[in-house]
Amino acid sequence: PMPGAVLTRVASSHLRVGTFQYFAARGDEEAIRLLTDHAIARHYPDADGALGLLTAVIDAQAGLIARWLGVGFIHGVMNTDNCAISGETIDYGPCAFMDRFEAGKVFSSIDRFGRYAYDQQPDIAVWNIAQFATCLLPLIDTDPDTAVAKATQAVHRFPDLFAEKWLSVFRAKLGLRDIGTPEEDGALINALLAAMQAGGADFTNTFAGLAQGTATTAFRTPATFDPIAAKLNERHAAQGGADTDAMARANPTLIPRNHQIEAMIAAALDGDFAPFQRLNDALAHPFDPAPDDLTAPPKPAQEVQATFCGT
């Protein structure tokens, strides 16, 4: 037997894409109409009907996924029943924050094919949104073909919208002011991420270290970072210096690292809640300086390879 607990989730609502699917699968158009009206009133009062709701949810999801990627967060099971239309993160599943950067990193013990990997999350978001659009079709237009055309046009906005929000998130993380083209800055960001993967770099410590001049120490093979550091220095010089204020706001020094959570749970099972209190207190201020032992990446033997619902 394991000790039990009550987890209370607080959010602006618990409406998910799956909530709409529940009624759509039964052909209950009146229920979908009532749910749509409620969702608009509660979350997006400026939305114009079902198509406006779809557009608003697309915007919210694009921003949410971009921010997830910005902190190395991996949602374990991003299915439609775990996709809140409010754009909040309330259904985590077997989630985790990355330590060492891997674009295809998966933590969920049931995700054997990488469907919900770090770099697949934007594509899965599009799939979820397409299911949401399908539920709303009868309300978007009385003519089925017109409804499909309007919904398709809205859903097809997501990739460009996400790319714009992703670029904004990572420009801030690198201290880049908006003087370069999206193509140039995107290439620089992706070059850094590729170097991080090749050099075994810790995700959080790399970005936190950029503002402090210590990013090299986050790499297992520091020389991998040197060419990118030179390019970053050139880019910062061209804009009159790094935007350190933006970097400080965009790069947490502390994340809930999996090996620390495992240690905290083990201690709690033995009746010692001090590690939990310490970690929880520190995580309330993730952008402040934190103790070295809480910011240190796990040693190879400490790495957590899989997480489960409930942890």
Side-chain angles (χ1 to χ4, degrees):
M2 298 287 283
V6 174
L7 172 67
T8 303
R9 305 187 195 197
V10 179
S12 52
S13 86
H14 284 193
L15 296 177
R16 288 91 159 186
V17 171
T19 316
F20 286 78
Q21 287 181 301
Y22 180 87
F23 297 104
R26 288 157 177 73
D28 193 342
E29 187 174 322
E30 179 58 23
I32 295 175
R33 187 181 306 279
L34 289 170
L35 193 60
T36 298
D37 290 345
H38 173 68
I40 290 172
R42 185 164 187 84
H43 294 297
Y44 306 106
D46 294 332
D48 184 9
L51 186 60
L53 175 63
L54 174 61
T55 300
V57 171
I58 289 171
D59 289 352
Q61 287 293 317
L64 177 67
I65 306 301
R67 293 193 298 275
W68 281 357
L69 298 189
V71 291
F73 179 78
I74 299 171
H75 191 307
V77 184
M78 251 185 82
N79 56 24
T80 53
D81 199 42
N82 284 335
C83 180
I85 65 164
S86 60
E88 293 171 297
T89 313
I90 62 169
D91 290 296
Y92 310 116
C95 68
F97 287 81
M98 274 195 294
D99 295 303
R100 179 165 39 90
F101 177 68
E102 295 178 48
K105 184 64 177 175
V106 169
F107 280 102
S108 172
S109 61
I110 63 173
D111 189 3
R112 299 192 179 100
F113 302 104
R115 177 178 174 85
Y116 306 114
Y118 174 83
D119 61 355
Q120 294 302 305
Q121 292 178 125
D123 291 339
I124 290 300
V126 174
W127 193 88
N128 289 341
I129 287 166
Q131 311 318 305
F132 184 50
T134 300
C135 296
L136 298 176
L137 286 177
L139 307 185
I140 290 175
D141 201 284
T142 54
D143 178 68
D145 291 339
T146 302
V148 169
K150 290 180 178 179
T152 300
Q153 184 178 25
V155 174
H156 283 181
R157 288 180 56 247
F158 184 91
D160 287 343
L161 184 62
F162 168 77
E164 177 185 318
K165 293 181 182 293
W166 177 90
L167 183 63
S168 177
V169 166
F170 277 88
R171 270 177 169 163
K173 292 180 73 65
L174 270 66
L176 305 182
R177 293 188 173 89
D178 191 6
I179 65 165
T181 67
E183 293 76 18
E184 292 170 337
D185 287 352
L188 178 57
I189 294 163
N190 282 314
L192 172 59
L193 293 173
M196 289 168 60
Q197 178 151 333
D202 182 83
F203 184 91
T204 301
N205 289 350
T206 296
F207 287 104
L210 287 177
Q212 303 161 8
T214 60
T216 303
T217 62
F219 283 72
R220 292 184 177 181
T221 53
T224 312
F225 179 59
D226 293 343
I228 305 302
K231 292 180 180 179
L232 268 175
N233 288 337
E234 283 182 26
R235 177 67 168 77
H236 289 156
Q239 65 180 31
D243 188 343
T244 54
D245 289 340
M247 296 170 83
R249 292 191 301 268
N251 295 319
T253 57
L254 183 66
I255 56 167
R257 293 187 182 269
N258 305 304
H259 68 293
Q260 292 163 348
I261 292 173
E262 292 287 345
M264 174 265 291
I265 292 173
L269 290 174
D270 289 335
D272 179 9
F273 283 85
F276 162 73
Q277 295 291 355
R278 180 173 182 252
L279 183 59
N280 194 49
D281 290 346
L283 287 168
H285 308 282
F287 295 89
D288 294 348
D292 289 345
D293 65 307
L294 294 184
T295 60
K299 297 174 182 177
Q302 295 176 310
E303 288 188 6
V304 175
Q305 300 298 333
T307 54
F308 306 86
C309 284
T311 53

